[in-house]
């Protein structure tokens, strides 16, 4: 595995450029940014995966214009053809709260779930070193006004059924809710033509329309099956607050059926009417303190959907990139962090003590980056 780290870094650089539309800059000081080369990365010196790869994002002129001049119409937008976003890119709600929903859908049992004193099964996400917390739960009845949070046994059944492709649906919801003037009282509507286009299912010739819409129906519900209780800490002049309403997404799905000559009922159309929960009053209120938005692209949504089923590790990396990396934002990415995102912290920790597993994980990591990069290289 000669120069594996160098290869992975090169592929990762291309991946970010193609997926998020940003530019990576290398620090001229090699002592700060060079990733150790050689076979030691996958053998006795796994710790060198933690060398930092510094990058800085820069949005293009269209993205900058979109960020500065985005208007929020009072009336729902009228879509043309199968468009969901006004252009190939769109402002989207990408707050920490919504990142946690994507984590639940993609990471599933790789997260640190635990049973509370009330027997409810939850995943806890800390804010500002424990000053605030977000508790995530799952439900099997998201359509009700007050969905029930599940205990461990029932929750595990729901979590096991989660599909990383539902993260692509979640991103669509994130984009549409950000376009509403008052998202806590308005709703968004999506039809099957738009969903088939933005998920890429319209290109699947091996599936009939009934099969495509059946896949969509099950995935459309999953983001709404993730609930959250938010205890946000004081930040600057803004005081602490708690969002007790557990619903992140309130989704109603209207299905149209037809009966064929053989008497079989076929799904021929569907429409989604979605509304966001009370969290939007705090995170989409146009305040400079809690206005947590970013940019997503149609290409990202389509490719996340296409790789989600067969390449879970690659999908997890893409989800993380979408929420973590924003235009005009500078941060550092660690190799070990990316592996923990793709395969879980426990598996990475085990690999540190097992040379063979470490080699296999390095190979898997390279393969997943190749999958994401190859998908991103194709034109939509």
């Amino acid at each position: 595995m000669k120069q594996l780290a160098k290869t992975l870094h090169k592929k990762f650089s291309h991946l970010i450029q193609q997926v998020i539309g940003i530019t990576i800059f290398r620090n001229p000081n090699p002592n700060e940014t060079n990733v150790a080369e050689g076979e030691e990365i996958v053998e006795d010196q796994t710790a060198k995966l933690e060398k930092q790869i510094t990058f800085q994002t820069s949005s293009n002129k269209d993205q900058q214009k979109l960020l500065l001049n985005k208007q929020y119409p009072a009336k729902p937008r009228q879509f043309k053809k199968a468009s969901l976003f006004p252009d190939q890119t769109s402002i989207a709600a990408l707050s920490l709260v919504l990142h946690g929903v994507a984590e639940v859908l993609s990471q599933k049992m790789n997260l640190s779930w635990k049973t509370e004193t009330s027997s409810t099964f939850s995943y806890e996400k800390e804010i500002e070193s424990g000053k605030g917390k977000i508790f995530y739960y799952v439900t099997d009845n998201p359509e009700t006004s007050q969905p029930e949070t599940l205990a461990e046994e029932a929750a595990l059944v729901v979590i096991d059924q989660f599909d990383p492709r539902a993260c692509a649906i979640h991103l669509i919801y994130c984009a549409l809710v950000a376009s509403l003037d008052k998202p806590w009282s308005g709703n968004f509507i999506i039809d099957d033509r738009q969903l088939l286009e933005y998920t890429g299912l319209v290109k699947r010739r091996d599936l009939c329309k009934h099969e495509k819409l059946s896949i969509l129906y099950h995935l459309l519900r999953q983001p709404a099956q993730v609930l959250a209780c938010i205890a946000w800490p004081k930040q600057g002049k803004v005081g602490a607050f708690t969002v007790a309403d557990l619903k992140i997404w309130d989704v109603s799905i209207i299905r149209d059926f037809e009966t064929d000559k053989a008497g079989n009922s076929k799904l021929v159309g569907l429409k989604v009417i979605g509304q966001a929960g009370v969290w939007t009053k705090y995170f989409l209120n146009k305040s400079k303190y809690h206005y947590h938005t970013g940019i997503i692209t149609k290409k990202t949504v389509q490719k996340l959907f296409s790789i989600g089923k067969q390449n879970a590790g690659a999908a997890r990396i893409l989800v993380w990139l979408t929420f973590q990396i924003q235009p005009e934002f500078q941060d550092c990415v660690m190799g070990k962090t990316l592996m923990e995102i793709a395969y879980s912290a426990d598996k990475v920790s085990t690999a540190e003590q097992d040379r063979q597993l470490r080699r296999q994980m390095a190979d898997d990591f390279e393969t997943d980056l190749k999958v994401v990069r190859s998908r991103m290289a194709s034109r939509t």
Side-chain angles (χ1 to χ4, degrees), residues 15 19-20 99 102-108 110 162-168 170-171 300-324 338-343 364-365 367-373 375-376:
L15 180 155
V19 178
I20 310 298
H99 188 183
E103 283 183 319
V104 172
L105 293 173
S106 61
Q107 299 282 347
K108 302 171 67 171
N110 285 345
F162 282 155
D163 190 319
R165 293 178 296 177
C167 291
H170 178 55
L171 288 181
T300 300
V301 174
Q302 286 182 327
K303 299 313 174 182
L304 177 57
F305 193 91
S306 70
I307 67 177
K309 187 67 173 179
Q310 301 299 327
N311 301 98
R316 291 165 185 159
I317 292 173
L318 182 52
V319 167
W320 186 88
L321 289 172
T322 302
F323 281 90
Q324 187 73 18
L338 288 174
M339 285 190 166
E340 289 175 345
I341 291 166
Y343 315 116
D364 290 343
F365 189 47
T367 299
D368 283 331
L369 291 182
K370 283 182 178 180
V371 168
V372 177
R373 183 191 175 198
R375 299 288 183 171
M376 294 302 102

Side-chain angles (χ1 to χ4, degrees), residues 229-280:
C229 178
I230 307 165
W232 202 260
K234 175 180 173 59
Q235 291 185 335
K237 297 180 180 180
V238 180
F241 61 86
T242 300
V243 182
D245 175 32
L246 298 179
K247 279 198 172 186
I248 300 297
W249 303 115
D250 192 346
V251 174
S252 298
I253 306 172
I254 302 172
R255 292 178 289 174
D256 294 327
F257 292 90
E258 286 184 0
T259 303
D260 61 19
K261 295 180 180 179
N264 299 315
S265 182
K266 298 289 186 179
L267 185 58
V268 296
L270 57 79
K271 179 184 294 185
V272 181
I273 302 175
Q275 184 174 8
V278 178
W279 61 270
T280 54

Side-chain angles (χ1 to χ4, degrees), residues 96-146:
L96 184 65
V97 176
L98 298 176
H99 188 183
V101 174
E103 283 183 319
V104 172
L105 293 173
S106 61
Q107 299 282 347
K108 302 171 67 171
M109 283 309 299
N110 285 345
L111 301 174
S112 54
W113 294 89
K114 62 181 181 181
T115 300
E116 298 181 349
T117 55
S118 59
S119 297
T120 301
F121 205 49
S122 69
Y123 160 55
E124 180 182 318
K125 194 176 185 69
E126 289 192 350
I127 308 168
E128 290 193 354
S129 302
K131 294 180 180 179
K133 293 181 180 181
I134 306 174
F135 297 90
Y136 292 94
Y137 312 93
V138 297
T139 184
D140 56 4
N141 59 342
E143 295 82 6
T144 62
S145 58
Q146 293 183 332

Side-chain angles (χ1 to χ4, degrees), residues 277-302:
V278 178
W279 61 270
T280 54
K281 290 186 177 181
Y282 300 93
F283 297 96
L284 284 177
N285 60 8
K286 301 182 183 179
S287 163
K288 63 180 180 180
Y289 302 109
H290 294 121
Y291 191 51
H292 297 269
T293 60
I295 291 177
I296 66 171
T297 67
K298 176 182 179 181
K299 192 174 185 179
T300 300
V301 174
Q302 286 182 327

Side-chain angles (χ1 to χ4, degrees), residues 102-216:
E103 283 183 319
V104 172
L105 293 173
S106 61
Q107 299 282 347
K108 302 171 67 171
M109 283 309 299
N110 285 345
L111 301 174
S112 54
W113 294 89
K114 62 181 181 181
T115 300
E116 298 181 349
T117 55
S118 59
S119 297
T120 301
F121 205 49
S122 69
Y123 160 55
E124 180 182 318
K125 194 176 185 69
E126 289 192 350
I127 308 168
E128 290 193 354
S129 302
K131 294 180 180 179
K133 293 181 180 181
I134 306 174
F135 297 90
Y136 292 94
Y137 312 93
V138 297
T139 184
D140 56 4
N141 59 342
E143 295 82 6
T144 62
S145 58
Q146 293 183 332
E148 178 185 3
T149 58
L150 301 178
E152 181 173 353
E153 184 176 354
L156 288 174
V157 174
V158 172
I159 294 170
D160 184 63
Q161 294 173 348
F162 282 155
D163 190 319
R165 293 178 296 177
C167 291
I169 303 297
H170 178 55
L171 288 181
I172 291 175
Y173 294 167
C174 291
L176 294 182
V177 74
S179 71
L180 299 176
D181 183 45
K182 295 181 179 179
W184 48 88
S185 60
N187 56 47
F188 52 84
I189 300 175
I190 321 171
D191 63 37
D192 55 87
R193 293 183 308 146
Q194 296 165 334
L195 289 166
L196 290 172
E197 171 67 24
Y198 275 73
T199 59
L201 282 173
V202 69
K203 301 176 183 178
R204 291 286 301 274
R205 305 302 181 188
D206 58 321
L207 300 174
C208 67
K209 188 173 184 179
H210 168 75
E211 292 171 325
K212 294 176 183 178
L213 296 182
S214 296
I215 292 172
L216 284 174

